[in-house]
Amino acid sequence: MGQGDAAARPDIPDPAISDEALKKAEEFIEQEEGATNRLTGWGGRIVISIAVAMSLFHLYAAYWIVPTQELRYTHVAFVLLLAYLLFPVSARFRNRIAWWDVLLGLSCVAIIGYALAGGEDFTDRATVPDRMDVVLGVIFIVLLLEATRRTTGPIMPVVAICFIAYAMLGPYLPPPWTHHGYTITRIVGHLFITLEGIFGVAVDVSATLIILFTIYGAFLQHSGAGKFFIDFSLGLMRGKANAPGRTVVLSSFLLGGPSGSGVATTVMIGSVAYPMMKKAGFKANAAGGLLAAGGLGAILSPPVLGAAAFLIAEFLKISYLDVLWMATIPTILYYLSLLIMVEFDAKRFGAKAIDYAQEMPIPTLLRRYGFHFLSLVAVVGFMVWGYSPMLSVFYATAVTFALSFLRPETALYPRKFVKALSDGSIGVLNAATTCASAGIVVGIVTLTGLGLKFSAIVIAYAGGSLLLTALYTALIVWVIGLAVPVTASYIICAVIAAPALTQLGVPDYAAHMFIFYYAVLSEVSPPTALAPFAAAAITGGDPYKTTLQSWKYTLPAFLVPFVFVLDPDGIGLLMKIPKDGSVWTIVWITLKTSLGLLALAAAAQGWALRRTLAWERVVLAIAGLFLVFPSLLEALAELIVGRDIAYTWAVGIVLGAIVIAAQKARGTPPAPA
């Protein structure tokens, strides 16, 4: 946090963010990433050594081939050992390593050592494990769930236990949930011994991509990229009436790579930008909502999307570059919507132009530190060049390391280099334990066939309607996302809910992107609305009102996923050419959606050319829905007019034009109070 601490920057206007507010905000980062022990002495040196060894092992695995089973098992061994050493059993045991933590961590390593030593004989016993396999498997599952509880909270372990109970209690469940049931021996064999349970796809992604991206992000952060991107955004927007708001939008996009966390990005930007936002005229709750929405964008933005994006590539057996390609237009639309909302806010609040001292002009800043942009795009450049995602991140990390020596203050000399390696491994613990526990859910779903059964139930409730199925799926993802992190909610819903959409003809990639975007909503949805709560801690606003504001900022853009699955041309937003379409189809669907987002943003903010009247807000909302989400209104409109409406977009454009004409007829808007 030292890079973004407003209290240390004399150029930021009063009131500065208090140390107490920053401390409170950092508590929300700990809630997302886990409250780790702050260790010194021999304990700290041992933990750092293990974390550095873990990073070096995974960098080695990225360059040289390590067999799949050895890689996944070793990854989980490192993760669980560090989880027990860094995350105490409860808050009263913080900042020290208890003997039982050492014992539990080493037990995890010993059990994985037993599995690796067994070789093919061990894996061949998956369907009929012996007594020792079952005993150690049960112990390992319990240890994994406890490590997950320490790093992410109790919800994910409880969810995993419920799925295990479902597998065991199948004969006693009411239809249509009934199945013949599985013994603990069969369950342990499937979850612990095969590569379809705990050590399945999710752990593979954690061991091959997520860990490498956290190392890459740590190298960016320790080389000063985060501070540069904020300073660049501030300098670029300087002197404009809405400079603070625009700075939040631009810097949140740039910080997606170095931060990798929505909450951390919110706090990093907020600590610098909020004093200026307040002086410019932003209200506390609105400012906090914007900061949280910007932080949310950090896990939607290429080149480093959230951990769930790596899982999309693995589930669909496509390259990560394809996922980045599909995310490009939705990301642009998200930030376009956010920028429009910010501009309307500036008009509503009468935001004033503020000036502030700048450390150095933009040309000097770019000349000295512009190499950070090369570091940021290197990973995509290597993938375009033809390297695998693993090698691309490896080489991008090497580029970041080499470029850091262009300036003495950014150079990753041994102390900073070791810290970057250590932070890279520690930063993955939250996601890695979540992936391993989510493997239990995935394993139970494949074992019992729950995914297809659940899909059949959803489709039956929806009466075969794609619109209702999409609405039900969005609701399911959103509800699950209230309780578990983004990665976990995506994995759970990808295996139980995505088949419902694909059975109704939605392309698999569109279904998974739909689920991914709604899983991300958990970042701004109570009771796990950590990003808005952290923003409220900085602004001094009301946490729940700030959450509602963040919902308002994100709502227009989060109607976009419905375009993927409901509009025949909607896959154009994912850079896919629809059947009988062309490149112009992609351009048209993007333009149409952009206009719809503009109308929805104006309706949400109550401002277009001037403050809107009640009827204007309603008409703008309807216009936006006709452009972005026509299926919701099309059936009703056709019922009213008694004929098929082929061009709903035209209705939306006409309605929007009516509001603009009415506002122009009312004359020049009065200055805000």
Side-chain angles (χ1 to χ4, degrees):
M1 282 304 302
Q3 296 180 58
D5 191 344
R9 297 173 62 112
D11 53 311
I12 300 299
D14 287 331
I17 307 298
S18 68
D19 291 338
E20 183 180 352
L22 283 175
K23 184 177 179 181
K24 187 176 179 181
E26 288 175 349
E27 289 175 359
F28 289 103
I29 299 179
E30 290 186 344
Q31 287 185 43
E32 181 184 55
E33 302 177 359
T36 60
N37 289 323
R38 300 177 187 274
L39 301 172
T40 57
W42 65 269
R45 287 191 289 271
I46 289 175
V47 168
I48 289 175
S49 298
I50 295 171
V52 169
M54 179 179 175
S55 289
L56 292 175
F57 167 75
H58 283 91
L59 289 171
Y60 169 82
Y63 195 78
W64 299 101
I65 296 176
V66 175
T68 299
Q69 185 175 11
E70 283 82 347
L71 176 60
R72 297 184 191 182
Y73 277 59
T74 304
H75 174 70
V76 173
F78 270 121
V79 165
L80 295 184
L81 178 59
L82 285 173
Y84 276 106
L85 294 179
L86 280 170
F87 296 85
V89 67
S90 66
R92 69 191 188 97
F93 295 104
R94 285 282 301 273
N95 302 331
R96 67 179 188 272
I97 300 177
W99 63 267
W100 55 80
D101 293 328
V102 176
L103 177 62
L104 294 176
L106 292 177
S107 297
C108 295
V109 174
I111 293 173
I112 289 179
Y114 165 84
L116 287 173
E120 292 184 1
D121 290 338
F122 175 73
T123 56
D124 289 343
R125 297 196 299 268
T127 54
V128 283
D130 60 30
R131 182 181 297 273
M132 181 62 74
D133 296 337
V134 175
V135 171
L136 292 180
V138 170
I139 293 173
F140 184 79
I141 290 172
V142 172
L143 290 173
L144 169 61
L145 294 178
E146 167 58 13
T148 306
R149 183 197 67 81
R150 293 188 182 199
T151 55
T152 67
I155 301 297
M156 189 62 214
V158 169
V159 170
I161 291 170
C162 288
F163 272 83
I164 292 174
Y166 170 78
M168 297 176 67
L169 302 176
Y172 309 102
L173 297 173
W177 305 101
T178 309
H179 61 86
H180 62 75
Y182 295 86
T183 64
I184 190 67
T185 299
R186 183 73 177 91
I187 292 171
V188 168
H190 188 72
L191 297 182
F192 176 57
I193 299 179
T194 73
L195 295 182
E196 297 179 23
I198 292 170
F199 302 100
V201 170
V203 160
D204 182 64
V205 172
S206 177
T208 57
L209 282 177
I210 298 176
I211 175 66
L212 292 174
F213 271 95
T214 59
I215 294 170
Y216 170 61
F219 272 62
L220 283 172
Q221 191 67 18
H222 284 282
S223 66
K227 182 181 185 304
F228 164 72
F229 292 138
I230 292 179
D231 288 344
F232 173 76
S233 301
L234 286 169
L236 196 64
M237 300 300 172
R238 184 185 179 195
K240 297 178 174 60
N242 192 23
R246 295 175 184 175
T247 296
V248 170
V249 176
L250 177 59
S251 58
S252 65
F253 171 75
L254 294 175
L255 281 170
S259 170
S261 163
V263 181
T265 302
T266 298
V267 174
M268 187 182 300
I269 297 173
S271 61
V272 175
Y274 175 63
M276 294 185 294
M277 295 175 77
K278 183 169 184 177
K279 189 169 184 180
F282 280 80
K283 308 301 181 186
N285 294 326
L290 174 59
L291 290 169
L296 185 72
I299 54 177
L300 292 173
S301 305
V304 185
L305 296 165
F310 308 125
L311 290 159
I312 294 174
E314 189 63 29
F315 276 131
L316 298 179
K317 302 302 178 185
I318 60 178
S319 74
Y320 182 63
L321 186 60
D322 289 332
V323 179
L324 293 182
W325 188 244
M326 289 192 295
T328 300
I329 293 178
T331 299
I332 292 171
L333 292 175
Y334 178 82
Y335 280 101
L336 174 65
S337 171
L338 201 56
L339 186 61
I340 292 168
M341 299 278 274
V342 169
E343 295 302 316
F344 287 152
D345 253 350
K347 299 293 184 183
R348 286 198 306 136
F349 298 140
K352 304 180 290 293
I354 61 170
D355 201 11
Y356 50 89
Q358 196 175 346
E359 291 183 10
M360 61 186 74
I362 286 288
T364 305
L365 190 67
L366 287 174
R367 189 170 62 253
R368 293 187 182 181
Y369 305 111
F371 60 84
H372 286 303
F373 283 120
L374 181 58
S375 299
L376 189 63
V377 302
V379 62
V380 176
F382 283 115
M383 280 191 277
V384 171
W385 205 323
Y387 290 99
S388 70
M390 286 181 67
L391 269 179
S392 297
V393 186
F394 175 86
Y395 285 129
T397 304
V399 167
T400 302
F401 175 74
L403 291 177
S404 73
F405 290 94
L406 291 177
R407 299 291 304 175
E409 61 271 25
T410 64
L412 291 172
Y413 289 119
R415 184 182 295 272
K416 289 171 69 176
F417 177 66
V418 168
K419 190 69 168 65
L421 288 173
S422 173
D423 286 355
S425 287
I426 293 172
V428 82
L429 298 182
N430 179 285
T433 53
T434 298
C435 286
S437 291
I440 294 175
V441 174
V442 176
I444 296 299
V445 169
T446 58
L447 186 65
T448 62
L450 177 60
L452 294 176
K453 186 175 296 186
F454 187 84
S455 299
I457 293 170
V458 171
I459 293 172
Y461 273 113
S465 165
L466 179 57
L467 171 60
L468 289 179
T469 301
L471 288 171
Y472 289 160
T473 302
L475 182 62
I476 291 165
V477 180
W478 179 71
V479 169
I480 291 175
L482 294 178
V484 298
V486 172
T487 305
S489 59
Y490 167 75
I491 294 172
I492 294 170
C493 295
V495 296
I496 68 171
L501 293 172
T502 56
Q503 284 183 38
L504 292 177
V506 176
D508 55 1
Y509 56 83
H512 281 261
M513 291 296 284
F514 179 87
I515 288 171
F516 168 65
Y517 277 95
Y518 274 94
V520 171
L521 269 176
S522 63
E523 287 282 315
V524 292
S525 303
T528 56
L530 298 181
F533 278 45
I538 289 176
T539 65
D542 181 275
Y544 293 98
K545 290 181 180 178
T546 299
T547 300
L548 292 176
Q549 288 288 330
S550 65
W551 266 351
K552 185 179 74 171
Y553 276 114
T554 57
L555 183 60
F558 276 99
L559 291 176
V560 171
F562 280 98
V563 183
F564 305 162
V565 299
L566 297 178
D567 191 323
D569 294 335
I571 59 173
L573 295 182
L574 301 176
M575 293 286 198
K576 303 288 186 180
I577 297 178
K579 184 180 180 181
D580 300 325
S582 65
V583 173
W584 291 110
T585 309
I586 297 176
V587 175
W588 170 240
I589 192 70
T590 303
L591 177 61
K592 185 173 69 172
T593 305
S594 301
L595 292 173
L597 291 178
L598 175 62
L600 289 170
Q605 294 290 56
W607 193 283
L609 299 179
R610 56 181 296 154
R611 192 175 302 278
T612 56
L613 303 176
W615 73 267
E616 292 173 335
R617 294 186 75 169
V618 172
V619 172
L620 283 170
I622 294 173
L625 289 173
F626 268 126
L627 287 161
V628 178
F629 194 179
S631 303
L632 197 62
L633 300 176
E634 189 172 347
L636 179 61
E638 290 175 352
L639 180 65
I640 293 173
V641 301
R643 57 179 295 179
D644 180 61
I645 299 178
Y647 299 98
T648 51
W649 58 268
V651 177
I653 291 176
V654 169
L655 291 176
I658 289 172
V659 173
I660 296 300
Q663 291 218 325
K664 281 189 173 182
R666 297 213 308 273
T668 305

